[in-house]
Amino acid sequence: MIVQPEGIFYQMLTVENIPNLVEEHLVKGRPVDKLMYVPSKGKPPIPKLSDIAFFSKQRLVVLKNRGLIDPEKIDEYIARDGYQALAKALTSMDSEQVIEQVKGSGLRGRGGAGFSTGLKWELTRKSSGNGKYIICNADEGDPGAFMDRSIIESDPHSVLEGMVIGAYAIGAAEGCIYIREEYPLATKRLHIAIDQAREYGLLGEDILGSGFSFDITVHRGAGAFVCGEETSLIGSLQGQTPEPRIRPPFPAQSGLWGKPTNINNVETWANIPTIINRGAEWFASIGTESSKGTKVFSVVGKVNNTGLVEVPMGMTMREIVFDIGGGIPGGKKFKAVQTGGPSGGCIPESLVDLPIDYERLMEVGSIMGSGGLIVMDEETCMVDVARYFLDFLRSESCGKCTTCREGIAAMHDIVADICNGKGEPENIGLLEELAEAIKDASLCALGGTAPNPVLSTLRYFRDEYDAHIKDKKCPAGVCRALISYRIDPEKCKGCMLCGKHCPEKAIGGEPKGPQTIDLEKCIKCGVCRESCKFEAVLIE
Amino acid sequence: MMAKLKPEDLSRIAEKMRRQTLLREGAGRAKVTVHMGTCGISAGARKIMTTLLGLIDQQQVQDVILTTSGCAGLCSREPMMTVEIKDKAPVKYVDLDEKKTLTIFTDHVLGGEIVTDFALGMGSERVS
Ligand SMILES: Cc1cc2nc3c(=O)[nH]c(=O)nc-3n(C[C@H](O)[C@H](O)[C@H](O)COP(=O)(O)O)c2cc1C
């Protein structure tokens, strides 16, 4: 028997298997492993990478050198056409032509907001004043995100080359890379790369004999999420408290030390050499109507293949989670994907066929953000997820705006109460009201987007909030105050493994007989459930 | 102090490097790349590197190029390494430990036989 659309093949079925199969697979959507056909285990020849979905569905532009070059040797970068784009720009293009190419490519900022890179360069270029700066934002503060770290660690020269081209186009003589203190290896490789580029005259005075001069310094971040916001980052570089300020003036008009400043994300910079080498049209042929090129995502969470993936814009969530990610471990059911970091939202299973681009993600209440992608399964509680992000944001709010400082904390306390079984029906309205106020009256996008995790989970998982508030139940079995553990006497074989692992000695019973949990002593840590080989420990 | 480059020097360096790293023209018989991004290192890539260095030293192997690179993408299967024998497609190995590394070194790097049990796949990724 074959079950579509997954095409799962069941073999040697008996009449007794059918009710279980119907209930589990057809109703709950969970394929039944033990009845499935498993190809016989011979010694097959090893597959080609191009036949493995994790690799074959990716398209490498930014990560074109990953795994192929030694990032600490500039010659290996040059051997793969490194610095050819720079040579091309310096010898055969004027700065307007470079900007035209970047504009024409449709490249949008990869750091979050998705502003047109070419347009930003043009604004900074046209800004009056000398001593312009460019900045590379490598603060990467989103929990679970490691795109920028990986780009720098595996191919630091691609970022440097992009920056030199940008500096030439904009007319900047100095550049800074602002990198978080938590990235020691990336920082080390940047320093090595900069030293080698200087030795070759690819940084410094008279680059490639063109008369153009530009150099880069590296600055370590002060370790707060808000430091990634461009105006706080500039403040931090100037030795001030990293607090966002009102824009305008935008950094393009008045940025570092009051000079016109162009700030872009690591991945944005790393796209530049390929755009110059292959041309705007080539780049614009990849992606969707509004979003061109590829996007690097760090895929983490409840998914079989975690890692760094680069896909063309417009790929569906389903392809990323099931083909590249290899699906959900343990035969569990897929529930949602969180994108955009703490300012993002959760996209439910019903929208899994959504092609990913800036606009589409906005429409469904999330954002592209910098590219963190967290996969969640049926055992993830969406109220708890909202609580987690609020907790992160409440401690990362810089405190300048009252709505952000107090509002996020208030939202956190309400959601934490709901998780603890102390939620009231009127909480939802209050959360929505607070969300509006925080969005309206916060200066920067930290506050402006902070309510997103709550709003998007309310939008798609309202039933889970209701279950917590009205029934005092956590359907995913996560919120400790709302669950209890029980051992199914039918399934328990009395092996007593759970009792051995229980840190509270809360499990008792005769050997080979059914075990029981003393709920007075139980701290709901879940160790018994993890250690049980017979799936006899239930959450209720 | 290196001489400062002129645009035309880039192709010269590229050509020289291609000769050295593509295992042609006697630069080596095999190339082993250990993937050492933060993810690889935290999964134990340094131990793999040390093991390989020890093996090369101990057996006085002259014609194997040992090198490092960044993350190969599949963080959940680290530590990873790529073995490339002259004129053959590169092979990626995953979930490595010291024992597997020894087997791969003996059978594949020196013996030319792919260790199918530990290999993920062969060939290269699609680069646009
Ligand atoms: C709270 C907050 C944190 C941010 N963190 C980062 C970050 O870690 N990296 C980044 O590139 N941009 C971050 N941004 C976005 C920057 O303000 C800015 O838009 C970006 O660096 C511009 O580069 P792009 O146009 O290349 O995306 C953050 C914004 C906010 C509001």
Side-chain angles (χ1 to χ4, degrees):
Chain A
M1 175 177 116
I2 298 175
V3 178
Q4 300 293 5
E6 299 101 314
I8 290 177
F9 182 59
Y10 289 108
Q11 62 172 2
M12 296 197 286
L13 293 179
T14 60
V15 179
E16 290 86 78
N17 296 141
I18 300 299
N20 179 16
L21 194 76
V22 170
E23 168 72 13
E24 283 294 312
H25 193 160
L26 302 186
V27 179
K28 294 192 184 140
R30 293 193 283 226
V32 185
D33 285 344
K34 62 174 191 279
L35 299 176
M36 271 197 257
Y37 166 74
V38 186
S40 68
K41 281 217 179 91
K43 256 201 182 174
I46 63 168
K48 295 205 191 89
L49 288 195
S50 53
D51 293 334
I52 302 174
F54 179 82
F55 295 104
S56 66
K57 288 236 157 177
Q58 297 195 46
R59 183 155 185 193
L60 308 184
V61 174
V62 172
L63 302 174
K64 61 183 184 296
N65 290 331
R66 80 152 164 215
L68 296 176
I69 63 167
D70 182 340
E72 301 188 6
K73 293 191 181 130
I74 189 170
D75 285 358
E76 295 204 6
Y77 179 69
I78 293 175
R80 291 185 53 80
D81 291 336
Y83 290 105
Q84 287 290 355
L86 175 64
K88 179 176 175 184
L90 291 180
T91 55
S92 68
M93 297 166 86
D94 62 25
S95 49
E96 269 109 12
Q97 285 168 323
V98 174
I99 290 180
E100 273 319 306
Q101 286 294 310
V102 178
K103 262 167 81 178
S105 73
L107 176 66
R108 296 168 66 173
R110 302 296 194 234
F115 190 77
S116 157
T117 304
L119 207 58
K120 199 192 269 188
W121 287 17
E122 187 169 57
L123 290 171
T124 318
R125 176 178 166 70
K126 290 199 172 141
S127 221
S128 56
N130 50 13
K132 291 174 187 170
Y133 289 100
I134 62 169
I135 295 176
C136 170
N137 188 344
D139 196 52
E140 194 162 55
D142 292 1
F146 49 89
M147 298 77 54
D148 296 347
R149 184 191 76 201
S150 200
I151 292 170
I152 296 175
E153 283 180 0
S154 48
D155 200 10
H157 287 285
S158 67
V159 181
L160 301 187
E161 187 179 3
M163 288 180 74
V164 187
I165 295 169
Y168 171 70
I170 290 158
E174 280 183 61
C176 310
I177 300 175
Y178 187 91
I179 184 165
R180 60 186 323 193
E181 176 71 13
E182 291 89 335
Y183 286 178
L185 183 65
T187 308
K188 178 183 144 211
R189 290 190 177 157
L190 268 181
H191 280 294
I192 293 172
I194 290 173
D195 287 347
Q196 293 180 345
R198 279 194 195 130
E199 276 204 18
Y200 271 169
L202 295 163
L203 278 177
E205 299 285 317
D206 190 20
I207 294 174
L208 287 171
S210 66
F212 173 67
S213 302
F214 170 74
D215 211 343
I216 295 176
T217 49
V218 177
H219 300 258
R220 286 173 308 166
F225 179 62
V226 79
C227 287
E229 192 281 331
E230 55 189 31
T231 60
S232 342
L233 188 153
I234 289 169
S236 171
L237 280 173
Q238 295 176 162
Q240 295 148 355
T241 315
E243 283 181 355
R245 62 157 175 79
I246 290 177
R247 297 175 304 180
F250 287 91
Q253 299 145 343
S254 172
L256 186 57
W257 308 114
K259 303 285 186 184
T261 301
N262 185 89
I263 174 162
N264 279 125
N265 165 263
V266 171
E267 189 183 333
T268 313
W269 289 117
N271 266 297
I272 300 297
T274 310
I275 291 175
I276 299 300
N277 270 332
R278 313 273 308 245
E281 251 170 63
W282 174 83
F283 190 84
S285 72
I286 309 171
T288 67
E289 195 58 38
S290 69
S291 311
K292 302 300 186 190
T294 58
K295 179 76 196 81
V296 181
F297 290 102
S298 48
V299 179
V300 298
K302 303 290 182 61
V303 58
N304 280 311
N305 304 327
T306 59
L308 198 74
V309 311
E310 178 172 6
V311 296
M313 295 275 190
M315 182 169 273
T316 65
M317 213 47 110
R318 183 189 296 283
E319 289 172 285
I320 295 185
V321 174
F322 290 96
D323 297 340
I324 293 178
I328 316 298
K332 301 262 164 60
K333 207 169 165 323
F334 168 67
K335 189 189 254 180
V337 177
Q338 208 276 349
T339 71
S343 337
C346 295
I347 298 162
E349 206 219 337
S350 57
L351 293 172
V352 73
D353 287 310
L354 186 82
I356 301 174
D357 73 9
Y358 290 96
E359 275 65 34
R360 301 261 202 5
L361 286 175
M362 288 278 252
E363 279 162 24
V364 301
S366 188
I367 58 167
M368 179 77 77
S370 57
L373 215 149
I374 305 172
V375 182
M376 299 168 176
D377 71 3
E378 58 187 328
E379 292 187 354
T380 311
C381 167
M382 302 315 282
V383 187
D384 185 59
V385 166
R387 186 199 55 74
Y388 168 81
F389 282 114
L390 287 170
D391 187 35
F392 176 85
L393 290 164
R394 116 184 127 142
S395 53
E396 293 295 340
S397 169
C398 76
K400 183 169 178 168
C401 309
T402 315
T403 44
C404 179
R405 182 184 67 234
E406 302 297 335
I408 297 174
M411 283 182 82
H412 170 268
D413 293 348
I414 294 171
V415 175
D417 274 352
I418 296 176
C419 291
N420 285 326
K422 293 184 217 137
E424 305 286 343
E426 54 273 21
N427 286 162
I428 304 288
L430 185 54
L431 281 174
E432 283 166 342
E433 205 178 308
L434 278 165
E436 284 315 308
I438 297 169
K439 282 210 267 187
D440 275 354
S442 302
L443 230 164
C444 84
L446 193 156
T449 57
N452 279 359
V454 173
L455 294 177
S456 83
T457 46
L458 271 176
R459 179 164 162 190
Y460 298 114
F461 301 97
R462 180 63 187 255
D463 54 329
E464 286 194 40
Y465 281 86
D466 288 343
H468 283 73
I469 294 171
K470 297 195 186 118
D471 313 333
K472 307 292 173 206
K473 288 221 153 68
C474 175
V478 172
C479 296
R480 284 192 190 178
L482 302 179
I483 57 171
S484 61
Y485 286 84
R486 183 172 75 82
I487 296 176
D488 182 346
E490 302 277 297
K491 285 190 179 160
C492 178
K493 301 265 191 280
C495 73
M496 302 178 74
L497 200 61
C498 55
K500 268 207 195 92
H501 284 99
C502 176
E504 297 298 310
K505 305 271 166 277
I507 301 178
E510 293 298 315
K512 302 215 158 65
Q515 306 292 300
T516 49
I517 301 176
D518 179 349
L519 295 180
E520 294 283 299
K521 286 188 188 163
C522 176
I523 56 165
K524 303 173 189 173
C525 65
V527 167
C528 50
R529 190 170 145 88
E530 278 162 31
S531 63
C532 181
K533 298 199 167 36
F534 308 101
E535 296 185 2
V537 183
L538 311 175
I539 298 178
E540 297 185 329
Chain B
M1 191 73 192
M2 291 286 306
K4 305 280 183 218
L5 301 187
K6 294 275 180 292
E8 55 277 15
D9 296 329
L10 291 169
S11 342
R12 193 181 44 73
I13 294 176
E15 197 43 50
K16 185 191 83 192
M17 286 308 290
R18 279 190 204 115
R19 276 203 304 274
Q20 282 181 8
T21 48
L22 288 189
L23 303 176
R24 298 211 187 90
E25 313 192 12
R29 194 185 42 75
K31 180 173 155 186
V32 182
T33 307
V34 182
H35 297 283
M36 294 181 77
T38 294
C39 44
I41 291 172
S42 64
R46 276 202 217 285
K47 264 193 264 166
I48 307 304
M49 194 65 185
T50 316
T51 307
L52 287 166
L53 280 168
L55 287 166
I56 288 177
D57 194 44
Q58 203 178 49
Q59 312 188 13
Q60 306 210 334
V61 179
Q62 305 285 347
D63 54 359
V64 171
I65 303 169
L66 180 60
T67 179
T68 65
S69 89
C71 165
L74 196 49
C75 305
S76 49
R77 307 297 297 276
E78 302 268 15
M80 287 172 75
M81 71 177 175
T82 305
V83 175
E84 193 177 350
I85 306 285
K86 192 169 174 170
D87 300 327
K88 298 247 165 67
V91 174
K92 279 204 161 45
Y93 288 102
V94 290
D95 303 322
L96 295 175
D97 58 26
E98 284 136 306
K99 233 175 107 196
K100 291 181 188 172
T101 307
L102 173 65
T103 311
I104 295 165
F105 188 77
T106 316
D107 292 4
H108 191 182
V109 180
L110 299 182
E113 285 294 317
I114 297 174
V115 188
T116 49
D117 283 351
F118 312 147
L120 174 76
M122 64 203 289
S124 308
E125 285 191 80
R126 179 164 71 137
V127 173
S128 3

